[in-house]
Amino acid sequence: MKKLPISQHILEIVSDAGEGAQKAGSIFAQTTAKMGNYLWTVELIPSEIQPPPHTTRSSSGIRIRFGSEPITNGGNLTNLIFVFNEMSLLARLEAHALAEEVIVFIDNQWASDPNPDIVRQYQQILAELSQRGADIYELALSQEVEPFTEDPQKGKNMFVLGVLGFLYQRDIDLLQACAAKAFSHKSAQVLASNRALIQAGYAWGQGQLDFCFSIPLLPHAAPMVTLNGNQALAYGAIAAGFELCSMYPITPASSVAHTLANIFEEFGGMVHQAEDEIAAIGVALGANYAGKPAFTVTSGPGMALKTEFMGLAVITETPLVVVDVQRGGPSTGLPTKIEQGDLLSSLFATPGDAPKVVLAASSIADCFHLMKTARTLAEELRILVILLSDSNLATGMQLFERPAISAISSSPPHAAEMESLPYHWDKLTGVPPRLIPGVSQKVGMTSSLNHSEAGLVRYDSLANEAAHQMRSHKLATLRKCLKPPAVLGEEEGDLLLIGWGSTKGAIAEAVQIARGNGLKVSHLHLVFLNPLPPRLKEIGAGFKKIVVVELNYQDVPGDPYTKDAPRLSQLALLLRSHTLLPIESFARVWGRAFMPQEILTQIEQEILALEAS
Amino acid sequence: MKTLHVDQFTAGYCPEEAGFTLERYAGEQPRWCKGCGDYAILVALEKLLALKKIPSNQVVCVSGIGCSSRFPYYLKTFGFHGIHGRALPISTGVKLANPKLTVVTVMGDGDCFSIGLGHWMHAVRYNPNLLVLVLDNEIYGLTKQQTSPTTPLGTKTKTTPKGPYIPPLNPLKLIMGATGVSFVAQTATWMPGHVSATLAKGMEHSGLSFIRILQRCPIFSPQAFGQGGKEREGFCFLTHEQGILLEDNLQNMAESLPHDPRDFSAAQALVQQTEDAEKGFTPLGLIFQALNRPSYEEVRFRSISHPSPEEKAELLLDKLKPFEI
Amino acid sequence: MEDQLWSWLQGEEWKSPLFLEVQEALGMGKELDLAGEEIDSAQLTQALHPSQSQGMERESSWNRVLKALSGALVLKGGGDPQDYFAAYDQHMRYALQALALIRGKEAPTTWQELSNRDFAFIPPVILYFRIDELNDPVLRQLGELMRQEREFKLILVQTQIHATVSRLGRSVTLNPHWDVGFWGLFFRTYFVLQIPAHLPALKTEVQRAVSSPRPALISIYAPADLALSELALRTRAFPYLRYDPEEGLCWQATLDLSYNPEPRQLWALEANQEELNLGHFLFRQNPSAFTPFMGDGVPVRDWLEAEGTKPVFLSMDQQKWTLTPTQQEKILSQIQLWGNLQAMAGQAKGGDPGLVVDWEEKIDLERQKAVTKALQTLSAKLLGVTSVDFTGSELKLNLGSHGEETKTKREKSRLEKPLPVAQSSETAWIETPLCTACDECTGINPRIFAYNQDKQAYVKDPAAGPYADLVKAAEKCSASIIHPGAPLNPKEKNLEKWIQRAAKLG
């Protein structure tokens, strides 16, 4: 028996929809986390609700990256895949997800399927993989589970869980306990059969395999929780004291509301599903106006519809938080896939000059904590705050320290009771007092037209200029209080990578490897996109080259058709105008997250080019 | 502090009675055109608030965009001048935040029946406790005479110089077809007493009280509704003890028709007739009222708990338990 | 002494307990709860909720409130009373905002609604008069400040008393200045304190007066030489008195004379048992006003016992000094006043038989009347009003003819209400209940047309403008409810045309 030492691994379990690969994966992930590993999991979801079975479109599963060091991203290529049929394997192959030397476990029942087409394609696919260097283990999964269950369709996943438990040397008792908990709502019969199946799978591994993996374990010092990004946004909203989530269904944002809908009322909150995206933000704005902390959550197409209301929030200086779980665009684009294409439209889509705060979550923990930051800033500065997440965070699961919360207050910071007027701006910070209907004794007019300090309509140049300046000062107030961004690595060198949002983990991992290899590369990651933090220009000046890394479009470098004036990616455009530095970008719209390896390759190329010049 | 006010003794001073005057609710000097019917509605609303003795800071007037949407500026209550067509979502949000507030939503025909029609139908279905006033003059006034959904055939406008190409929308038929409708009334600005009585009835109703107020625009649609009631044919007061009671001075201003506003079928039949070319008429009064339909905020607040900040924190940690490692 | 008093009034002493509560409610000093490493939350907190020291320099509304709560509002007296009223009202508005912030909807909205308890939370508004000697303009201003309802704390610091001596040395005029404290008693809602500055209890006494929920009149004698202050107390030239109306309803309960030495005597004796009367005080304050006494006479005490028998002299520094008739009168008057004070306070019981007055039984009604009358005249003179009724309550004094006005206003509005019935076709009229308030007619001629209190139009005065305006308004009326009637002026231009147009209206 060989015990292969590894520090981290990427495991996939993929089956036809309904065969429980995701369930087995989540039990495995939980056991793994409890034993003292970090992880990042991503669900592999078919795009249609009920695709035809045994096709590439029907494959459904889970990808788990786990290891002894904190894990911040989905990683590179899959090291080990457990598939229930050859089409699932093909789907993952076509998705370029598998490492060349991937270890494959596959149910071999298809090799003897009565349909000769299936037999042929089974053999072809295995042959192709084998040629690429894969290490293939076929097992008679259906036969193995038969003694323990009446319906082999339902039992295979538990057997697989047992095999994986052996392969990665998971604590069998803990594995059984986690499985029992996951099926606690099922009958005793099902529980017993599951228990036997896991045991049998583990025993099969012991008896049939001549290797297993050994990963160092380090029990977590603090209590940890594992959530996906949308769950984190939902629980973060509760922790931040929000009491209303007003939304309209849209992928990939909806599950924020799903999570809340189940529990929000116990916290005194409610989910309001409005008739459309516009009404959703309108209700949130009305509620904030009347003193109830409310937010709306949406994705790109919804953001487009909400722009007029966002302008209203800006000019009326009503606190409002808009969460945008970004997806591929424009228009309907790639509803389930990741892109960071809403950056510039978040900043600038509202017609007219509309200063607002834009910040982006770069981890699951950020999704949780930034909800509170967003509410605080919105209320304290009477400003619109857009919090950007994306579908990579939305479905990715990550371990983070359980937040410490002792009290959750939902009352707005204060209803200023002033002799002054509703827009009696503080001349320095630009922040006006906040009158709340029913709470403040003094009544006030809130106007979508340009207005004076009294909230009355003013069309004259001076009043318009003054109101714009005051709204802009609020952003300046926040900017003055932002800290210079932390730089991973030296503050000077050959190459500086700048990223924002969910790409943080992959960029940081690549930069750390490159620095380990002696390359002078550093990483700066932005949480605040508007206002931008101070010292960006000074930090940038310390490097020979600055490259933005983001999941956005840029004209393909070297394309002869566009090379005379290639279009830049969004953050590069923003940072160029902000710093006047010749910032370039490594930007792609592949509909998936960057792998650290891809960024590492880019770093190496950039540095080679720098050395050459 | 014991300083005494002489008039507390000499003039039978009663603090509750004092102060609820029209002036208390009067905001900026209105800047509508002379002869505009909006004035009558403003005065009627001010009177109603004074009559009901609702403190100004407990009232929110929300509006969209248009001449009528300047309403909040002219009331000394909380006012929210929003964006075109979107007054209803804002109002719903206000009610979800604080159901105790008296919310008056003011829109025009373009605001409610055109750009905001979707919100209108859904607001009727949600049934938040709002007083919804639609000031219908069959024209876009603020943008200077474009056709509105209720512009009748033959009315020349800047976008339809030969008159509209298609017949107007009938808001009464639409709302009487909406699931959940709970209060529909119609009144007209040239009958200020009727406007007052209708507004009062609407404010007493729990749920969305939809009141369509007929008026003309003295500049762009002076001919609307028989020159604003000067031609007194085709109007018909709906009379019923549960409806809008008619003051004596109104009796002779139009025909009367007995109509039970609690009878849904009768109301639906009534609004069908409003489009009949031969027998058609314009009803004034309470068309329909459903009692005991819970308001949206009532339904929502019924099922929520009210934990303390500390209990919330404890509960959250409890909810996170299943995700704990 | 006077400088100390001034800076003490400006100090922390008067800071409201609300100050900290407001700071807390505004989140001042409490750092904003912001996750992550990106924001300097302390700096943002400081920017949005500046702490007190910084906040004072920042012109933001809440900082003005905090400033108002941080101490007494001390204003130098002598300016225009209207400015003080405005400053007072503003100070109270800030305090009300603070109360509203902390209590929400239950908080009073005007300072008139404040309870005594609320009032205790609000730093006082102090008007500080530093004067060499009271004179008519100052007293008139005091009167104006005291006869309205704002609760000022009036502090008068006098460096001289009884000092109006003419160059000729002829007389000390019988000015009312020296008993301004006594005068204050007749504003019975006022807390009154009269105190010589040398008393160690000065601060506690002033503090008590200023902290009272009542308006206060505080008269302090603070000469440069504090020995004079002591002499003023002993000679009853400036007796200590404190009248606190919170203490009860009768004089005994409310009036306190306890810091006056030897209260049962006409005046306190010096250590050497020498007598000390008002004359001695006058002499010490201004010796040059006295001339040596020649010839035969008696000292003051003997003179008092056998009034008018022999010329009187002042015995001072082993010499005899002449007392003018005015000075003599002044001494008598001061003795009488002291007696009255004693009597009112009920302290004279069982004392010197010459002074015994039992408040309950023996008070001389006539004398009381006389005192009242004197004060009435005095007050009237000071207040600039011709007749003030002191026999009733001070209500009428405070608020003058307010009640009358209210009544008139009411009657007037009743008159304005138009009759809803149709009037003669000859007179212009409006079907008022049908008015839509559309501003047409009032825009055409606001002298003819007006709105009633229900904001519906009526014909205020058909003769206030041309018939043409009546007809034009009737034509324009969106509700067609104006009836122009018949023209009132047969000489009006183009009358025929207007009559024809009116006829078309039907």
Side-chain angles (χ1 to χ4, degrees):
Chain A
M1 173 77 56
K2 282 180 292 179
K3 265 200 173 179
L4 308 169
I6 50 171
S7 65
Q8 59 106 16
H9 228 224
I10 300 177
L11 158 73
E12 286 189 11
I13 312 170
V14 190
S15 67
D16 258 5
E19 289 184 310
Q22 280 169 7
K23 194 80 180 178
S26 68
I27 296 167
F28 180 84
Q30 203 173 24
T31 312
T32 294
K34 276 190 198 291
M35 286 177 69
N37 282 153
Y38 291 90
L39 51 78
W40 180 286
T41 68
V42 183
E43 290 181 353
L44 308 168
I45 307 161
S47 341
E48 287 102 12
I49 303 298
Q50 285 191 317
H54 207 98
T55 61
T56 49
R57 276 165 26 212
S58 68
S59 61
S60 154
I62 190 165
R63 190 170 199 266
I64 306 165
R65 183 185 184 202
F66 61 104
S68 42
E69 298 288 322
I71 291 185
T72 60
N73 67 92
N76 297 317
L77 298 169
T78 301
N79 305 106
L80 188 147
I81 184 167
F82 217 126
V83 284
F84 291 25
N85 68 60
E86 80 290 355
M87 293 313 280
S88 296
L89 190 58
L90 180 61
R92 297 308 293 157
L93 191 62
E94 286 175 346
H96 306 286
L98 306 179
E100 286 183 351
E101 64 284 12
V102 64
I103 301 164
V104 179
F105 284 84
I106 186 165
D107 187 350
N108 69 4
Q109 64 160 306
W110 314 104
S112 49
D113 197 85
N115 181 345
D117 288 346
I118 289 181
V119 176
R120 199 176 333 109
Q121 75 191 18
Y122 178 84
Q123 282 162 352
Q124 270 176 5
I125 291 164
L126 286 199
E128 193 187 330
L129 267 157
S130 182
Q131 213 175 0
R132 288 180 73 217
D135 198 357
I136 299 168
Y137 295 83
E138 292 177 86
L139 71 161
L141 195 51
S142 309
Q143 285 167 38
E144 295 287 348
V145 302
E146 233 166 82
F148 308 101
T149 173
E150 286 167 13
D151 179 4
Q153 282 291 101
K154 300 276 180 207
K156 285 190 275 191
N157 64 340
M158 288 300 108
F159 188 85
V160 168
L161 185 58
V163 176
L164 292 171
F166 165 75
L167 262 176
Y168 292 102
Q169 295 291 294
R170 303 292 92 171
D171 181 331
I172 182 70
D173 294 332
L174 187 61
L175 195 64
Q176 289 285 17
C178 288
K181 202 172 164 197
F183 290 102
S184 55
H185 56 290
K186 296 278 180 175
S187 67
Q189 199 189 346
V190 171
L191 287 177
S193 129
N194 282 348
R195 196 174 174 80
L197 281 161
I198 293 167
Q199 201 59 51
Y202 199 92
W204 181 90
Q206 272 177 322
Q208 304 294 317
L209 298 174
D210 61 349
F211 71 98
C212 64
F213 298 104
S214 132
I215 305 177
L217 300 168
L218 189 70
H220 306 293
M224 306 292 271
V225 288
T226 165
L227 296 172
N228 71 33
N230 278 0
Q231 287 170 327
L233 285 170
Y235 288 104
I238 294 174
F242 282 103
E243 283 193 331
L244 177 66
C245 167
S246 175
M247 52 72 71
Y248 182 79
I250 188 167
T251 304
S254 303
S255 66
V256 175
H258 302 168
T259 305
L260 283 174
N262 284 321
I263 55 172
F264 213 7
E265 293 188 339
E266 295 174 55
F267 291 88
M270 51 183 93
V271 173
H272 172 75
Q273 182 181 326
E275 60 268 25
D276 58 34
E277 291 281 1
I278 298 173
I281 186 174
V283 168
L285 180 131
N288 272 313
Y289 164 67
K292 185 188 276 278
F295 72 103
T296 184
V297 54
T298 188
S299 191
M303 286 297 282
L305 286 165
K306 291 181 197 299
T307 50
E308 194 190 9
F309 255 120
M310 289 197 234
L312 181 67
V314 170
I315 199 166
T316 57
E317 309 195 45
T318 310
L320 182 61
V321 174
V322 175
V323 181
D324 175 12
V325 186
Q326 298 168 96
R327 65 190 224 186
S331 188
T332 314
L334 296 173
T336 59
K337 311 278 187 186
I338 183 192
E339 207 171 284
Q340 297 181 303
D342 297 353
L343 172 60
L344 291 184
S345 62
S346 292
L347 263 82
F348 303 118
T350 320
D353 184 68
K356 57 185 93 86
V357 176
V358 179
L359 61 168
S362 52
S363 66
I364 309 279
D366 268 5
C367 289
F368 186 96
H369 296 293
L370 286 182
M371 285 303 282
K372 170 82 178 167
T373 305
R375 181 189 159 201
T376 306
L377 292 179
E379 289 181 340
E380 290 290 338
L381 294 166
R382 325 269 186 274
I383 206 167
L384 170 66
V385 179
I386 297 176
L387 171 57
L388 298 171
S389 174
D390 62 40
S391 63
N392 186 34
L393 292 172
T395 53
M397 264 199 185
Q398 195 184 8
L399 226 59
F400 64 99
E401 213 171 289
R402 188 185 69 189
I405 309 153
S406 57
I408 298 171
S409 166
S410 293
S411 41
H414 55 268
E417 193 66 51
M418 289 288 70
E419 87 292 0
S420 67
L421 308 157
Y423 294 98
H424 190 117
W425 294 287
D426 183 297
K427 290 291 172 287
L428 199 65
T429 62
V431 179
R434 186 171 179 199
L435 298 182
I436 295 181
V439 178
S440 307
Q441 295 299 320
K442 178 136 180 130
V443 301
M445 184 62 212
T446 302
S447 171
S448 63
L449 282 160
N450 186 61
H451 43 255
S452 63
E453 292 198 333
L456 302 179
V457 184
R458 286 283 293 275
Y459 296 125
D460 58 290
S461 328
L462 280 178
N464 194 43
E465 187 80 29
H468 272 77
Q469 190 190 28
M470 288 295 98
R471 293 194 292 267
S472 189
H473 268 204
K474 298 192 292 187
L475 219 49
T477 302
L478 176 57
R479 178 177 49 78
K480 286 171 194 289
C481 300
L482 290 184
K483 294 181 190 166
V487 176
L488 169 67
E490 313 301 325
E491 280 213 10
E492 53 180 38
D494 291 338
L495 180 66
L496 175 68
L497 298 189
I498 302 183
W500 67 281
S502 73
T503 53
K504 183 180 183 178
I507 300 174
E509 192 169 324
V511 165
Q512 265 162 339
I513 295 169
R515 291 179 61 80
N517 296 342
L519 302 184
K520 289 177 180 164
V521 55
S522 300
H523 173 209
L524 185 159
H525 211 76
L526 295 169
V527 173
F528 277 85
L529 282 318
N530 201 37
L532 283 163
R535 290 201 72 234
L536 283 179
K537 187 168 184 160
E538 289 83 342
I539 295 169
F543 292 87
K544 289 181 187 157
K545 189 168 186 190
I546 308 167
V547 173
V548 155
V549 180
E550 61 179 323
L551 293 163
N552 268 331
Y553 182 78
Q554 73 178 107
D555 275 338
V556 180
D559 175 359
Y561 197 65
T562 56
K563 74 175 177 195
D564 51 333
R567 287 176 61 229
L568 296 160
S569 70
Q570 298 198 9
L571 182 63
L573 209 57
L574 184 69
L575 290 182
R576 274 196 180 200
S577 73
H578 184 75
T579 62
L580 299 178
L581 294 171
I583 295 167
E584 295 193 6
S585 54
F586 172 55
R588 297 291 184 269
V589 280
W590 288 327
R592 61 163 175 80
F594 281 119
M595 293 179 191
Q597 182 57 47
E598 291 162 347
I599 298 169
L600 185 59
T601 307
Q602 186 69 23
I603 293 170
E604 287 162 353
Q605 283 174 6
E606 296 283 359
I607 291 195
L608 272 180
L610 279 175
E611 281 166 358
S613 61
Chain B
M1 178 114 159
K2 66 282 111 217
T3 311
L4 302 170
H5 296 259
V6 72
D7 46 3
Q8 283 179 356
F9 298 92
T10 57
Y13 181 81
C14 174
E16 286 79 26
E17 292 293 334
F20 290 99
T21 59
L22 285 195
E23 292 76 46
R24 184 186 174 129
Y25 299 98
E28 249 191 301
Q29 176 61 37
R31 287 194 295 269
W32 289 309
C33 306
K34 301 269 178 279
C36 181
D38 290 355
Y39 287 96
I41 304 161
L42 180 64
V43 172
L45 188 59
E46 285 170 5
K47 278 185 198 163
L48 181 59
L49 294 172
L51 184 77
K52 300 271 178 199
K53 299 195 178 86
I54 305 174
S56 329
N57 76 333
Q58 299 298 318
V59 181
V60 185
C61 181
V62 183
S63 68
I65 294 291
C67 290
S68 55
S69 294
R70 295 298 173 95
F71 223 87
Y73 293 100
Y74 308 148
L75 273 178
K76 202 152 123 209
T77 64
F78 275 98
F80 197 106
H81 182 204
I83 47 180
H84 201 23
R86 321 290 175 208
L88 283 167
I90 299 170
S91 307
T92 306
V94 171
K95 287 304 271 193
L96 283 183
N98 185 353
K100 288 184 203 147
L101 293 170
T102 298
V103 180
V104 183
T105 313
V106 183
M107 294 172 285
D109 42 325
D111 217 13
C112 184
F113 305 144
S114 196
I115 190 170
L117 184 134
H119 302 311
W120 176 42
M121 279 294 105
H122 284 280
V124 169
R125 190 167 72 91
Y126 289 126
N127 197 37
N129 190 5
L130 306 172
L131 181 63
V132 176
L133 310 180
V134 179
L135 282 50
D136 188 350
N137 58 9
E138 303 185 331
I139 200 79
Y140 283 72
L142 192 65
T143 51
K144 301 191 172 72
Q145 209 175 22
Q146 293 83 12
T147 189
S148 106
T150 52
T151 305
L153 288 170
T155 307
K156 290 173 184 168
T157 73
K158 292 215 179 100
T159 48
T160 56
K162 298 172 195 163
Y165 300 96
I166 49 169
L169 173 145
N170 183 335
L172 297 181
K173 274 176 73 176
L174 211 53
I175 193 170
M176 281 310 301
T179 308
V181 60
S182 79
F183 185 103
V184 180
Q186 185 156 278
T187 182
T189 56
W190 56 91
M191 300 172 183
H194 196 259
V195 174
S196 287
T198 311
L199 260 51
K201 192 85 184 168
M203 189 166 275
E204 281 155 17
H205 175 75
S206 168
L208 190 146
S209 315
F210 171 80
I211 301 176
R212 182 188 183 206
I213 306 178
L214 310 179
Q215 63 182 118
R216 61 171 193 159
C217 169
I219 312 294
F220 296 121
S221 66
Q223 78 296 338
F225 302 111
Q227 296 189 52
K230 288 187 181 175
E231 292 153 21
R232 289 177 181 182
E233 276 170 30
F235 295 105
C236 186
F237 288 120
L238 303 177
T239 55
H240 193 272
E241 56 180 356
Q242 307 290 354
I244 311 294
L245 299 180
L246 285 183
E247 286 172 37
D248 291 345
N249 58 39
L250 286 176
Q251 303 281 14
N252 63 348
M253 289 186 74
E255 309 271 297
S256 289
L257 179 76
H259 168 72
D260 180 0
R262 308 280 164 86
D263 185 339
F264 183 65
S265 310
Q268 281 202 317
L270 182 88
V271 298
Q272 293 304 323
Q273 289 179 56
T274 60
E275 232 174 54
D276 192 313
E278 306 262 304
K279 301 180 286 179
F281 62 90
T282 305
L284 296 170
L286 184 55
I287 295 167
F288 177 66
Q289 182 175 21
L291 299 175
N292 307 326
R293 258 212 73 200
S295 68
Y296 184 58
E297 60 271 23
E298 242 178 283
V299 173
R300 297 307 308 260
F301 275 83
R302 206 182 284 155
S303 58
I304 67 169
S305 319
H306 302 281
S308 70
E310 290 73 23
E311 288 166 341
K312 274 189 184 180
E314 217 169 287
L315 185 61
L316 179 60
L317 293 178
D318 203 40
K319 293 287 179 196
L320 284 173
K321 278 253 161 64
F323 303 98
E324 247 175 60
I325 294 307
Chain C
M1 171 55 66
E2 201 235 326
D3 289 347
Q4 281 174 27
L5 193 66
W6 174 255
S7 57
W8 174 65
L9 289 172
Q10 311 270 352
E12 281 275 300
E13 200 92 18
W14 315 99
K15 186 164 169 176
S16 167
L18 286 180
F19 186 90
L20 292 176
E21 280 190 59
V22 169
Q23 271 206 330
E24 201 186 322
L26 294 176
M28 289 184 178
K30 205 174 101 189
E31 201 167 309
L32 293 175
D33 186 6
L34 292 162
E37 290 300 307
E38 291 76 25
I39 308 176
D40 185 334
S41 56
Q43 199 184 334
L44 188 62
T45 309
Q46 188 61 29
L48 297 176
H49 307 290
S51 66
Q52 190 198 342
S53 56
Q54 273 207 330
M56 291 306 156
E57 294 148 25
R58 287 265 299 274
E59 267 302 288
S60 93
S61 311
W62 281 112
N63 286 326
R64 289 194 286 269
V65 170
L66 282 171
K67 191 164 189 307
L69 296 177
S70 67
L73 176 62
V74 190
L75 303 166
K76 289 236 177 185
D80 181 351
Q82 292 304 326
D83 292 344
Y84 299 132
F85 299 161
Y88 183 91
D89 293 351
Q90 187 56 58
H91 184 74
M92 288 297 155
R93 274 198 288 277
Y94 289 140
L96 287 166
Q97 279 155 14
L99 285 172
L101 176 73
I102 285 154
R103 291 200 209 140
K105 281 175 220 165
E106 276 106 67
T109 52
T110 64
W111 60 264
Q112 285 90 343
E113 293 166 39
L114 289 165
S115 70
N116 278 2
R117 215 183 127 267
D118 295 334
F119 216 75
F121 287 122
I122 301 175
V125 181
I126 298 171
L127 292 190
Y128 186 91
F129 294 78
R130 185 207 172 277
I131 35 189
D132 289 338
E133 183 146 27
L134 279 171
N135 50 30
D136 274 9
V138 172
L139 282 164
R140 202 164 283 135
Q141 194 185 56
L142 281 180
E144 197 170 335
L145 291 165
M146 287 173 82
R147 70 172 162 166
Q148 49 77 51
E149 53 188 357
R150 291 174 187 82
E151 304 205 353
F152 289 110
K153 313 293 179 182
L154 304 166
I155 298 186
L156 287 88
V157 179
Q158 292 152 270
T159 51
Q160 289 189 62
I161 47 173
H162 305 285
T164 324
V165 182
S166 76
R167 288 253 171 78
L168 300 169
R170 198 179 61 226
S171 70
V172 176
T173 57
L174 189 61
N175 263 338
H177 48 237
W178 47 270
D179 49 12
V180 65
F182 196 47
W183 175 60
L185 298 182
F186 281 80
F187 289 85
R188 288 202 334 247
T189 54
Y190 263 67
F191 186 111
V192 180
L193 175 69
Q194 173 166 297
I195 187 167
H198 73 279
L199 281 178
L202 178 71
K203 274 188 185 175
T204 45
E205 287 292 303
V206 173
Q207 182 155 33
R208 177 168 170 177
V210 172
S211 314
S212 160
R214 300 195 165 247
L217 179 69
I218 300 158
S219 172
I220 302 170
Y221 174 50
D225 176 8
L226 282 183
L228 264 182
S229 166
E230 164 131 40
L231 191 62
L233 185 69
R234 300 189 79 88
T235 59
R236 323 294 186 207
F238 197 84
Y240 163 89
L241 77 86
R242 183 183 72 212
Y243 167 69
D244 183 352
E246 292 289 299
E247 293 284 318
L249 293 172
C250 62
W251 290 114
Q252 288 110 307
T254 50
L255 194 59
D256 186 295
L257 302 175
S258 56
Y259 285 105
N260 293 298
E262 300 176 44
R264 285 168 188 168
Q265 306 301 321
L266 288 176
W267 43 67
L269 296 178
E270 246 182 340
N272 60 7
Q273 297 295 302
E274 287 281 324
E275 66 166 54
L276 272 180
N277 61 47
L278 181 67
H280 293 94
F281 174 79
L282 295 175
F283 184 88
R284 275 278 176 269
Q285 187 168 254
N286 187 10
S288 64
F290 287 82
T291 50
F293 177 81
M294 303 298 173
D296 198 16
V298 290
V300 175
R301 180 176 283 275
D302 298 346
W303 171 71
L304 283 177
E305 281 167 7
E307 202 177 327
T309 49
K310 278 187 182 167
V312 60
F313 61 81
L314 181 70
S315 170
M316 192 78 188
D317 300 341
Q318 277 88 45
Q319 280 197 46
K320 297 174 183 172
W321 303 93
T322 307
L323 283 171
T324 65
T326 326
Q327 284 168 337
Q328 294 169 18
E329 201 181 325
K330 184 116 191 163
I331 290 169
L332 288 174
S333 146
Q334 190 69 3
I335 289 167
Q336 198 180 10
L337 186 75
W338 174 242
N340 286 341
L341 263 183
Q342 287 275 60
M344 287 162 76
Q347 287 186 351
K349 228 183 232 181
D352 185 318
L355 289 172
V356 168
V357 184
D358 189 305
W359 178 246
E360 300 295 331
E361 297 160 22
K362 294 188 187 168
I363 191 156
D364 177 5
L365 197 66
E366 285 306 309
R367 193 180 64 190
Q368 197 194 2
K369 273 185 192 161
V371 171
T372 308
K373 190 165 189 318
L375 281 152
Q376 203 172 331
T377 319
L378 169 64
S379 296
K381 186 183 157 207
L382 294 171
L383 298 174
V385 291
T386 45
S387 102
V388 181
D389 184 1
F390 271 88
T391 54
S393 83
E394 62 284 1
L395 272 177
K396 290 183 183 167
L397 172 69
N398 282 350
L399 293 152
S401 55
H402 196 148
E404 281 300 309
E405 268 174 33
T406 317
K407 205 172 167 189
T408 335
K409 222 183 273 169
R410 277 172 186 248
E411 269 170 13
K412 207 174 150 204
S413 69
R414 208 175 299 138
L415 284 177
E416 274 181 19
K417 199 167 184 173
L419 298 168
V421 294
Q423 292 156 7
S424 145
S425 63
E426 291 300 300
T427 325
W429 67 287
I430 296 183
E431 294 167 70
T432 298
L434 295 178
C435 169
T436 67
C438 78
D439 277 7
E440 278 285 13
C441 61
T442 52
I444 288 169
N445 193 330
R447 292 178 307 280
I448 302 179
F449 303 100
Y451 286 120
N452 65 14
Q453 59 188 8
D454 288 335
K455 190 110 206 275
Q456 289 187 307
Y458 70 101
V459 178
K460 188 168 75 177
D461 181 2
Y467 186 61
D469 285 355
L470 281 164
V471 179
K472 274 189 261 177
E475 286 172 344
K476 279 261 183 182
C477 176
S478 60
S480 312
I481 53 168
I482 298 178
H483 305 275
L488 293 171
N489 176 8
K491 289 178 188 165
E492 192 176 319
K493 230 170 88 182
N494 296 331
L495 197 56
E496 275 306 301
K497 183 180 99 186
W498 294 113
I499 291 173
Q500 274 176 17
R501 279 172 68 164
K504 278 187 201 151
L505 293 165

